[in-house]
Amino acid sequence: MMIIVFLIRTTIKEGYIMPKLNENYLNLKESYLFSEIAHRVNKYIADNPDKKVIRLGIGDVTLPIGSTVIEQLHEGVDALASAETFKGYGPDHGYAFLRDAIVDYYRQNNVSIAADEVFVSDGAKSDTGNITDLFDQDNIILIPDPVYPVYVDTNIMNGRNITYINADETNHFLPMPDHSIHADIIYICSPNNPTGAAYNKEQLKEWVDYALENEALILFDAAYECFITDTSLPRSIFAIEGSRKCAIEFCSLSKTAGFTGTRCGYTIVPKDLKFTSSTGVEMSLNAMWSRRQSTKFNGVSYIVQKGAAAVFSEKGMAQCRENIKYYQENAKIIADGLTQKGIHCFGGVNSPYIWFKCPNDMDSWDFFDELLTKAQVVGTPGAGFGKNGQKFFRLTSFGNRENTIEAMARITKLL
Protein backbone atom coordinates (compact mmCIF):
# COMPACT_ATOMS: atom_id res chain seq x y z
CA MET A 1 0.00 0.00 0.00
CA MET A 2 2.76 2.41 0.94
CA ILE A 3 4.66 1.67 -2.26
CA ILE A 4 1.62 2.38 -4.47
CA VAL A 5 1.00 5.74 -2.81
CA PHE A 6 4.65 6.65 -3.26
CA LEU A 7 4.53 5.81 -6.95
CA ILE A 8 1.43 7.93 -7.52
CA ARG A 9 3.00 10.93 -5.78
CA THR A 10 6.19 10.51 -7.77
CA THR A 11 4.29 10.39 -11.03
CA ILE A 12 2.46 13.64 -10.21
CA LYS A 13 5.63 15.34 -9.04
CA GLU A 14 7.49 14.44 -12.23
CA GLY A 15 4.79 16.16 -14.25
CA TYR A 16 3.10 13.24 -15.97
CA ILE A 17 -0.25 14.47 -14.62
CA MET A 18 -0.86 18.21 -14.86
CA PRO A 19 -3.54 20.62 -16.07
CA LYS A 20 -3.27 21.76 -19.67
CA LEU A 21 -3.54 25.54 -19.67
CA ASN A 22 -4.99 27.84 -22.28
CA GLU A 23 -1.70 28.85 -23.85
CA ASN A 24 -3.41 31.53 -25.93
CA TYR A 25 -2.89 33.73 -22.87
CA LEU A 26 0.81 33.77 -23.77
CA ASN A 27 -0.15 35.81 -26.85
CA LEU A 28 -1.70 38.62 -24.78
CA LYS A 29 0.12 41.78 -23.85
CA GLU A 30 1.60 41.60 -20.37
CA SER A 31 -1.11 43.78 -18.85
CA TYR A 32 -4.45 45.31 -19.78
CA LEU A 33 -4.12 48.90 -21.05
CA PHE A 34 -5.83 50.60 -18.12
CA SER A 35 -3.96 48.46 -15.59
CA GLU A 36 -0.67 49.73 -17.03
CA ILE A 37 -1.92 53.32 -16.86
CA ALA A 38 -2.94 52.85 -13.21
CA HIS A 39 0.47 51.37 -12.42
CA ARG A 40 2.36 54.34 -13.90
CA VAL A 41 0.07 56.92 -12.31
CA ASN A 42 0.18 55.32 -8.87
CA LYS A 43 3.97 55.18 -8.97
CA TYR A 44 4.17 58.86 -9.94
CA ILE A 45 1.79 59.86 -7.14
CA ALA A 46 3.77 57.83 -4.61
CA ASP A 47 6.98 59.55 -5.73
CA ASN A 48 5.36 63.00 -5.91
CA PRO A 49 2.75 63.23 -3.14
CA ASP A 50 2.69 67.04 -3.35
CA LYS A 51 1.51 67.08 -6.97
CA LYS A 52 -2.17 67.30 -7.93
CA VAL A 53 -2.84 64.78 -10.68
CA ILE A 54 -5.90 65.29 -12.92
CA ARG A 55 -7.28 62.19 -14.62
CA LEU A 56 -8.74 62.49 -18.10
CA GLY A 57 -7.78 58.96 -19.07
CA ILE A 58 -10.14 56.18 -18.11
CA GLY A 59 -13.75 56.69 -19.17
CA ASP A 60 -15.22 56.81 -15.67
CA VAL A 61 -17.97 59.29 -14.88
CA THR A 62 -17.81 61.80 -12.03
CA LEU A 63 -21.35 63.22 -11.71
CA PRO A 64 -23.74 61.52 -9.26
CA ILE A 65 -26.63 59.36 -10.42
CA GLY A 66 -29.89 61.28 -10.89
CA SER A 67 -32.35 61.55 -8.00
CA THR A 68 -35.13 59.67 -9.84
CA VAL A 69 -32.88 56.64 -10.23
CA ILE A 70 -31.61 56.95 -6.64
CA GLU A 71 -35.19 56.88 -5.35
CA GLN A 72 -35.83 53.62 -7.17
CA LEU A 73 -32.58 52.12 -5.94
CA HIS A 74 -33.71 52.89 -2.39
CA GLU A 75 -37.12 51.40 -3.12
CA GLY A 76 -35.39 48.27 -4.32
CA VAL A 77 -33.39 48.07 -1.09
CA ASP A 78 -36.50 48.61 1.05
CA ALA A 79 -38.28 45.79 -0.80
CA LEU A 80 -35.69 43.34 0.52
CA ALA A 81 -36.51 44.27 4.12
CA SER A 82 -40.01 42.79 4.01
CA ALA A 83 -41.10 39.20 3.45
CA GLU A 84 -44.01 40.41 1.34
CA THR A 85 -41.79 42.24 -1.17
CA PHE A 86 -38.53 40.32 -0.81
CA LYS A 87 -36.80 39.26 -4.05
CA GLY A 88 -34.43 36.34 -4.36
CA TYR A 89 -33.20 34.94 -7.65
CA GLY A 90 -34.58 37.02 -10.48
CA PRO A 91 -35.35 36.02 -14.07
CA ASP A 92 -32.18 34.93 -15.87
CA HIS A 93 -32.51 37.54 -18.58
CA GLY A 94 -33.83 40.45 -16.54
CA TYR A 95 -37.07 41.55 -14.93
CA ALA A 96 -39.93 42.23 -17.34
CA PHE A 97 -40.32 45.81 -16.09
CA LEU A 98 -36.76 46.65 -17.22
CA ARG A 99 -36.85 44.76 -20.50
CA ASP A 100 -40.15 46.47 -21.39
CA ALA A 101 -38.64 49.85 -20.52
CA ILE A 102 -35.73 49.17 -22.89
CA VAL A 103 -38.12 48.13 -25.66
CA ASP A 104 -40.03 51.39 -25.18
CA TYR A 105 -36.79 53.41 -25.26
CA TYR A 106 -35.94 51.88 -28.63
CA ARG A 107 -39.47 52.55 -29.85
CA GLN A 108 -39.01 56.23 -29.02
CA ASN A 109 -35.96 56.15 -31.29
CA ASN A 110 -38.03 54.54 -34.09
CA VAL A 111 -36.48 51.09 -33.65
CA SER A 112 -38.62 48.01 -33.07
CA ILE A 113 -37.33 45.18 -30.85
CA ALA A 114 -39.10 42.57 -28.69
CA ALA A 115 -38.71 42.05 -24.95
CA ASP A 116 -37.55 38.46 -25.41
CA GLU A 117 -34.69 39.78 -27.56
CA VAL A 118 -33.36 41.86 -24.64
CA PHE A 119 -30.92 40.33 -22.16
CA VAL A 120 -30.02 42.41 -19.09
CA SER A 121 -26.43 42.10 -17.90
CA ASP A 122 -23.78 43.76 -15.74
CA GLY A 123 -22.38 45.76 -18.63
CA ALA A 124 -21.34 45.89 -22.28
CA LYS A 125 -17.74 44.97 -21.46
CA SER A 126 -18.84 41.63 -20.02
CA ASP A 127 -21.19 40.85 -22.89
CA THR A 128 -18.83 41.81 -25.72
CA GLY A 129 -16.32 39.44 -24.16
CA ASN A 130 -18.72 36.64 -23.24
CA ILE A 131 -20.49 36.60 -26.61
CA THR A 132 -17.43 34.79 -28.00
CA ASP A 133 -18.71 31.64 -26.21
CA LEU A 134 -21.21 31.22 -29.04
CA PHE A 135 -18.67 30.93 -31.85
CA ASP A 136 -16.26 28.28 -33.07
CA GLN A 137 -12.53 28.95 -32.86
CA ASP A 138 -12.11 28.85 -36.64
CA ASN A 139 -14.11 32.00 -37.40
CA ILE A 140 -12.33 34.90 -39.09
CA ILE A 141 -12.71 37.99 -36.90
CA LEU A 142 -12.65 41.47 -38.48
CA ILE A 143 -11.66 44.25 -36.08
CA PRO A 144 -10.85 47.92 -36.77
CA ASP A 145 -7.51 49.28 -35.57
CA PRO A 146 -7.49 51.27 -33.28
CA VAL A 147 -10.17 49.61 -31.16
CA TYR A 148 -11.40 48.95 -27.62
CA PRO A 149 -8.91 46.31 -26.33
CA VAL A 150 -11.57 43.91 -25.01
CA TYR A 151 -12.59 42.91 -28.54
CA VAL A 152 -9.04 41.88 -29.40
CA ASP A 153 -8.02 40.31 -26.10
CA THR A 154 -11.08 38.08 -25.72
CA ASN A 155 -10.56 36.63 -29.19
CA ILE A 156 -6.85 36.11 -28.57
CA MET A 157 -7.80 34.23 -25.39
CA ASN A 158 -9.86 31.91 -27.58
CA GLY A 159 -7.13 31.45 -30.20
CA ARG A 160 -9.08 32.98 -33.07
CA ASN A 161 -7.72 34.46 -36.28
CA ILE A 162 -8.05 38.25 -36.34
CA THR A 163 -7.98 40.36 -39.49
CA TYR A 164 -7.49 44.07 -38.86
CA ILE A 165 -8.88 46.91 -40.96
CA ASN A 166 -7.22 50.30 -40.82
CA ALA A 167 -9.03 53.18 -39.18
CA ASP A 168 -6.95 56.29 -39.74
CA GLU A 169 -7.03 59.91 -40.81
CA THR A 170 -7.56 58.97 -44.47
CA ASN A 171 -10.97 57.45 -43.72
CA HIS A 172 -11.73 59.71 -40.73
CA PHE A 173 -11.36 56.64 -38.49
CA LEU A 174 -14.44 55.10 -40.11
CA PRO A 175 -13.22 52.12 -42.16
CA MET A 176 -15.58 50.68 -44.74
CA PRO A 177 -15.94 47.09 -45.98
CA ASP A 178 -13.30 45.62 -48.26
CA HIS A 179 -15.22 43.18 -50.45
CA SER A 180 -12.02 41.33 -51.32
CA ILE A 181 -11.80 40.19 -47.67
CA HIS A 182 -14.10 37.60 -46.12
CA ALA A 183 -15.02 37.83 -42.46
CA ASP A 184 -17.33 35.79 -40.26
CA ILE A 185 -17.63 38.16 -37.29
CA ILE A 186 -17.28 41.94 -37.50
CA TYR A 187 -16.81 44.33 -34.58
CA ILE A 188 -18.20 47.85 -34.93
CA CYS A 189 -18.33 50.50 -32.21
CA SER A 190 -20.21 53.71 -33.05
CA PRO A 191 -19.75 56.30 -31.66
CA ASN A 192 -16.29 54.82 -31.48
CA ASN A 193 -14.03 54.19 -28.54
CA PRO A 194 -11.31 55.52 -28.72
CA THR A 195 -11.64 57.83 -31.73
CA GLY A 196 -15.11 59.32 -31.18
CA ALA A 197 -16.01 58.82 -34.85
CA ALA A 198 -19.62 57.87 -35.65
CA TYR A 199 -21.02 56.10 -38.72
CA ASN A 200 -23.94 57.57 -40.64
CA LYS A 201 -26.85 55.47 -41.94
CA GLU A 202 -25.42 55.04 -45.42
CA GLN A 203 -22.10 53.80 -44.07
CA LEU A 204 -23.74 51.34 -41.69
CA LYS A 205 -25.95 50.11 -44.54
CA GLU A 206 -22.77 49.20 -46.44
CA TRP A 207 -21.61 47.15 -43.46
CA VAL A 208 -24.98 45.42 -43.13
CA ASP A 209 -24.97 44.59 -46.86
CA TYR A 210 -21.42 43.25 -46.54
CA ALA A 211 -22.42 41.06 -43.58
CA LEU A 212 -25.44 39.68 -45.43
CA GLU A 213 -23.32 39.03 -48.53
CA ASN A 214 -20.72 37.12 -46.47
CA GLU A 215 -23.27 35.44 -44.18
CA ALA A 216 -21.37 37.18 -41.39
CA LEU A 217 -22.39 38.62 -38.03
CA ILE A 218 -21.91 42.21 -36.82
CA LEU A 219 -21.24 42.73 -33.12
CA PHE A 220 -22.34 46.34 -32.68
CA ASP A 221 -21.26 48.22 -29.56
CA ALA A 222 -23.63 51.14 -28.93
CA ALA A 223 -22.35 52.00 -25.45
CA TYR A 224 -22.05 55.71 -26.34
CA GLU A 225 -25.28 56.16 -28.31
CA CYS A 226 -26.57 58.61 -25.71
CA PHE A 227 -23.94 61.17 -26.80
CA ILE A 228 -25.29 61.42 -30.34
CA THR A 229 -26.79 64.86 -30.91
CA ASP A 230 -26.83 64.76 -34.72
CA THR A 231 -30.30 63.40 -35.46
CA SER A 232 -29.16 62.08 -38.85
CA LEU A 233 -26.85 59.56 -37.16
CA PRO A 234 -28.26 56.16 -36.15
CA ARG A 235 -28.24 55.33 -32.44
CA SER A 236 -28.77 51.63 -33.10
CA ILE A 237 -27.68 49.18 -35.78
CA PHE A 238 -31.32 48.08 -35.90
CA ALA A 239 -32.22 51.40 -37.52
CA ILE A 240 -30.62 49.90 -40.65
CA GLU A 241 -32.66 47.70 -42.98
CA GLY A 242 -31.55 44.07 -42.94
CA SER A 243 -29.62 44.33 -39.68
CA ARG A 244 -31.91 42.00 -37.73
CA LYS A 245 -30.57 39.13 -39.84
CA CYS A 246 -26.90 39.93 -39.23
CA ALA A 247 -26.33 41.93 -36.02
CA ILE A 248 -26.22 41.76 -32.23
CA GLU A 249 -26.23 45.04 -30.29
CA PHE A 250 -24.63 45.79 -26.93
CA CYS A 251 -25.46 48.80 -24.80
CA SER A 252 -24.64 50.05 -21.34
CA LEU A 253 -25.97 52.42 -18.70
CA SER A 254 -22.44 53.27 -17.56
CA LYS A 255 -22.24 56.47 -19.59
CA THR A 256 -25.96 57.00 -20.16
CA ALA A 257 -26.82 57.11 -16.46
CA GLY A 258 -23.54 57.01 -14.52
CA PHE A 259 -23.75 53.28 -13.76
CA THR A 260 -19.99 52.62 -13.96
CA GLY A 261 -20.03 51.51 -10.32
CA THR A 262 -23.59 50.19 -10.27
CA ARG A 263 -23.13 47.92 -13.32
CA CYS A 264 -25.99 47.37 -15.71
CA GLY A 265 -26.24 46.97 -19.45
CA TYR A 266 -28.12 44.94 -22.01
CA THR A 267 -27.62 42.97 -25.19
CA ILE A 268 -30.16 42.64 -28.00
CA VAL A 269 -30.12 39.36 -29.93
CA PRO A 270 -32.82 39.30 -32.64
CA LYS A 271 -34.77 36.09 -33.09
CA ASP A 272 -34.12 36.47 -36.83
CA LEU A 273 -30.48 35.50 -36.27
CA LYS A 274 -30.33 31.89 -37.39
CA PHE A 275 -27.43 30.02 -38.94
CA THR A 276 -27.02 26.47 -40.19
CA SER A 277 -24.66 24.14 -38.32
CA SER A 278 -22.11 21.83 -39.99
CA THR A 279 -24.67 19.01 -39.67
CA GLY A 280 -27.44 21.01 -41.32
CA VAL A 281 -29.28 21.87 -38.10
CA GLU A 282 -30.63 25.42 -37.83
CA MET A 283 -29.30 27.22 -34.75
CA SER A 284 -30.76 30.37 -33.19
CA LEU A 285 -28.31 32.83 -31.65
CA ASN A 286 -31.11 34.15 -29.45
CA ALA A 287 -31.66 30.66 -28.04
CA MET A 288 -27.92 30.04 -27.72
CA TRP A 289 -27.32 33.28 -25.82
CA SER A 290 -30.31 32.52 -23.61
CA ARG A 291 -28.83 29.11 -22.84
CA ARG A 292 -25.38 30.56 -22.21
CA GLN A 293 -26.65 33.25 -19.85
CA SER A 294 -28.93 30.93 -17.88
CA THR A 295 -25.97 28.58 -17.38
CA LYS A 296 -23.17 31.03 -16.60
CA PHE A 297 -24.87 34.17 -15.30
CA ASN A 298 -27.28 34.62 -12.39
CA GLY A 299 -28.55 38.01 -13.44
CA VAL A 300 -28.32 41.60 -12.25
CA SER A 301 -29.64 42.37 -8.77
CA TYR A 302 -33.25 43.46 -8.32
CA ILE A 303 -32.03 46.68 -6.70
CA VAL A 304 -29.94 47.68 -9.70
CA GLN A 305 -32.67 46.75 -12.17
CA LYS A 306 -35.17 48.93 -10.27
CA GLY A 307 -32.80 51.84 -10.70
CA ALA A 308 -32.09 50.96 -14.33
CA ALA A 309 -35.80 50.98 -15.21
CA ALA A 310 -36.07 54.49 -13.77
CA VAL A 311 -33.36 55.63 -16.19
CA PHE A 312 -35.84 55.16 -19.04
CA SER A 313 -38.64 57.12 -17.35
CA GLU A 314 -39.34 60.65 -18.56
CA LYS A 315 -37.83 62.25 -15.44
CA GLY A 316 -34.95 59.79 -15.28
CA MET A 317 -33.96 60.36 -18.89
CA ALA A 318 -34.19 64.14 -18.48
CA GLN A 319 -31.73 63.96 -15.57
CA CYS A 320 -29.43 61.69 -17.57
CA ARG A 321 -29.45 64.16 -20.45
CA GLU A 322 -28.42 66.96 -18.08
CA ASN A 323 -25.36 64.98 -17.05
CA ILE A 324 -24.57 64.08 -20.64
CA LYS A 325 -24.82 67.76 -21.62
CA TYR A 326 -22.33 68.58 -18.86
CA TYR A 327 -19.84 66.08 -20.27
CA GLN A 328 -20.45 67.36 -23.80
CA GLU A 329 -19.53 70.85 -22.62
CA ASN A 330 -16.35 69.41 -21.10
CA ALA A 331 -15.57 67.82 -24.47
CA LYS A 332 -15.92 71.20 -26.16
CA ILE A 333 -13.54 72.77 -23.63
CA ILE A 334 -10.95 70.10 -24.41
CA ALA A 335 -11.39 70.26 -28.17
CA ASP A 336 -11.32 74.08 -28.23
CA GLY A 337 -8.12 74.14 -26.17
CA LEU A 338 -6.36 71.73 -28.51
CA THR A 339 -7.65 73.48 -31.63
CA GLN A 340 -6.30 76.81 -30.38
CA LYS A 341 -2.87 75.18 -30.29
CA GLY A 342 -3.27 74.03 -33.88
CA ILE A 343 -3.98 70.39 -33.03
CA HIS A 344 -6.67 68.73 -35.12
CA CYS A 345 -9.12 66.65 -33.07
CA PHE A 346 -11.49 63.80 -33.80
CA GLY A 347 -14.53 63.05 -31.65
CA GLY A 348 -15.78 65.37 -28.94
CA VAL A 349 -19.05 65.81 -30.85
CA ASN A 350 -21.49 62.88 -30.62
CA SER A 351 -18.88 61.29 -28.35
CA PRO A 352 -17.31 61.79 -24.91
CA TYR A 353 -13.81 61.12 -26.29
CA ILE A 354 -11.35 63.47 -27.94
CA TRP A 355 -8.75 61.80 -30.15
CA PHE A 356 -5.75 63.71 -31.50
CA LYS A 357 -2.26 63.26 -32.88
CA CYS A 358 0.55 63.59 -30.36
CA PRO A 359 2.61 66.78 -30.80
CA ASN A 360 6.06 66.68 -32.40
CA ASP A 361 5.39 63.21 -33.84
CA MET A 362 5.81 61.67 -30.38
CA ASP A 363 4.91 58.08 -29.59
CA SER A 364 1.80 57.96 -27.43
CA TRP A 365 3.42 56.36 -24.36
CA ASP A 366 6.19 58.99 -24.48
CA PHE A 367 3.54 61.70 -24.63
CA PHE A 368 1.67 60.01 -21.78
CA ASP A 369 4.80 60.18 -19.59
CA GLU A 370 5.49 63.79 -20.57
CA LEU A 371 1.91 64.85 -19.84
CA LEU A 372 2.00 63.10 -16.48
CA THR A 373 5.41 64.33 -15.31
CA LYS A 374 5.29 67.88 -16.69
CA ALA A 375 1.58 68.74 -16.48
CA GLN A 376 0.27 66.12 -14.00
CA VAL A 377 -2.55 65.20 -16.40
CA VAL A 378 -3.48 61.61 -17.22
CA GLY A 379 -4.71 60.61 -20.65
CA THR A 380 -4.77 57.36 -22.60
CA PRO A 381 -1.99 56.43 -25.06
CA GLY A 382 -3.38 55.52 -28.46
CA ALA A 383 -0.91 52.64 -28.76
CA GLY A 384 -3.01 50.76 -26.25
CA PHE A 385 -5.79 50.60 -28.86
CA GLY A 386 -3.66 49.24 -31.71
CA LYS A 387 -0.79 50.08 -34.05
CA ASN A 388 -2.75 52.86 -35.77
CA GLY A 389 -2.99 54.60 -32.39
CA GLN A 390 0.76 54.67 -31.90
CA LYS A 391 1.02 58.42 -32.57
CA PHE A 392 -2.39 59.37 -31.14
CA PHE A 393 -3.83 60.16 -27.74
CA ARG A 394 -7.27 60.05 -26.09
CA LEU A 395 -8.72 62.42 -23.52
CA THR A 396 -12.14 61.95 -21.92
CA SER A 397 -14.77 64.50 -20.99
CA PHE A 398 -15.85 62.67 -17.82
CA GLY A 399 -13.93 64.82 -15.35
CA ASN A 400 -15.56 67.57 -13.34
CA ARG A 401 -15.65 71.05 -14.86
CA GLU A 402 -13.03 72.64 -12.62
CA ASN A 403 -10.51 69.86 -13.25
CA THR A 404 -11.20 69.85 -16.99
CA ILE A 405 -10.53 73.58 -17.26
CA GLU A 406 -7.38 73.29 -15.16
CA ALA A 407 -6.15 70.28 -17.10
CA MET A 408 -6.53 72.08 -20.41
CA ALA A 409 -4.72 75.14 -19.05
CA ARG A 410 -1.82 72.87 -18.09
CA ILE A 411 -1.86 71.01 -21.42
CA THR A 412 -1.99 74.13 -23.58
CA LYS A 413 0.85 75.64 -21.55
CA LEU A 414 2.92 72.50 -22.12
CA LEU A 415 2.15 72.46 -25.84
Side-chain angles (χ1 to χ4, degrees), residues 55 58-65 224 226-227 253-263 323-324 326-327 330 352-353 396-400:
R55 301 172 189 262
I58 193 168
D60 197 1
V61 297
T62 52
L63 293 177
I65 292 173
Y224 305 97
C226 61
F227 280 84
L253 297 186
S254 288
K255 308 309 189 296
T256 302
F259 271 45
T260 52
T262 312
R263 309 307 307 148
N323 284 4
I324 292 165
Y326 179 95
Y327 295 133
N330 280 352
Y353 297 122
T396 84
S397 62
F398 291 119
N400 66 44

Side-chain angles (χ1 to χ4, degrees), residues 207-414:
W207 275 112
V208 167
D209 290 345
Y210 171 85
L212 293 171
E213 175 187 323
N214 284 267
E215 296 186 313
L217 179 72
I218 295 172
L219 300 180
F220 189 80
D221 189 344
Y224 305 97
E225 59 85 21
C226 61
F227 280 84
I228 292 177
T229 54
D230 184 343
T231 56
S232 70
L233 297 178
R235 301 176 71 141
S236 167
I237 189 69
F238 300 124
I240 309 302
E241 183 183 358
S243 58
R244 287 184 57 86
K245 294 184 178 180
C246 66
I248 291 174
E249 181 161 298
F250 308 88
C251 205
S252 166
L253 297 186
S254 288
K255 308 309 189 296
T256 302
F259 271 45
T260 52
T262 312
R263 309 307 307 148
C264 191
Y266 52 91
T267 293
I268 300 167
V269 187
K271 287 174 287 187
D272 305 42
L273 284 178
K274 296 178 181 179
F275 295 90
T276 304
S277 74
S278 59
T279 60
V281 176
E282 186 177 73
M283 299 182 71
S284 162
L285 286 183
N286 181 283
M288 290 174 68
W289 185 241
S290 175
R291 185 68 172 85
R292 189 268 175 205
Q293 291 297 81
S294 62
T295 301
K296 291 190 174 184
F297 183 59
N298 252 358
V300 177
S301 77
Y302 173 75
I303 299 168
V304 169
Q305 291 192 59
K306 281 284 287 182
V311 169
F312 299 103
S313 68
E314 185 176 350
K315 287 179 63 177
M317 190 53 63
Q319 291 172 351
C320 289
R321 290 193 183 106
E322 282 300 309
N323 284 4
I324 292 165
K325 182 180 178 182
Y326 179 95
Y327 295 133
Q328 289 170 328
E329 290 168 352
N330 280 352
K332 187 175 187 305
I333 290 169
I334 295 170
D336 286 351
L338 293 171
T339 301
Q340 288 169 11
K341 300 298 290 189
I343 296 176
H344 180 59
C345 304
F346 297 86
V349 179
N350 303 308
S351 167
Y353 297 122
I354 297 88
W355 180 255
F356 61 96
K357 185 171 283 188
C358 300
N360 305 317
D361 202 37
M362 293 179 69
D363 286 339
S364 60
W365 277 111
D366 291 338
F367 184 58
F368 172 89
D369 289 333
E370 180 167 304
L371 204 59
L372 176 61
T373 58
K374 294 184 179 180
Q376 291 76 53
V377 174
V378 179
T380 307
F385 299 101
K387 68 178 181 62
N388 284 344
Q390 186 67 39
K391 301 286 186 179
F392 285 82
F393 208 74
R394 191 193 79 174
L395 294 175
T396 84
S397 62
F398 291 119
N400 66 44
R401 181 63 43 77
E402 180 183 354
N403 282 346
T404 300
I405 292 171
E406 183 178 348
M408 287 314 300
R410 295 182 189 181
I411 291 172
T412 53
K413 183 178 180 180
L414 177 65

Side-chain angles (χ1 to χ4, degrees), residues 27-28 137-145 147 149-165 181-183 185 187:
N27 299 321
L28 294 168
Q137 183 178 359
D138 292 336
N139 284 294
I140 299 172
I141 313 299
L142 190 63
I143 297 181
D145 180 339
V147 75
V150 171
Y151 309 158
V152 174
D153 289 354
T154 51
N155 280 288
I156 289 176
M157 289 173 182
N158 289 312
R160 292 196 177 91
N161 296 315
I162 299 176
T163 297
Y164 294 96
I165 50 173
I181 298 173
H182 170 77
I185 298 170
Y187 284 81

Side-chain angles (χ1 to χ4, degrees), residues 38-53:
H39 170 73
R40 295 193 186 200
V41 173
N42 291 338
K43 184 180 185 304
Y44 178 81
I45 291 174
D47 294 340
N48 302 271
D50 58 320
K51 302 289 188 181
K52 176 187 175 183
V53 173

Side-chain angles (χ1 to χ4, degrees), residues 93 99-100 103 113-119 244 267-271 286-287 290:
H93 310 319
R99 297 167 85 186
D100 289 342
V103 169
I113 58 173
D116 57 0
E117 296 176 324
V118 178
F119 298 82
R244 287 184 57 86
T267 293
I268 300 167
V269 187
K271 287 174 287 187
N286 181 283
S290 175

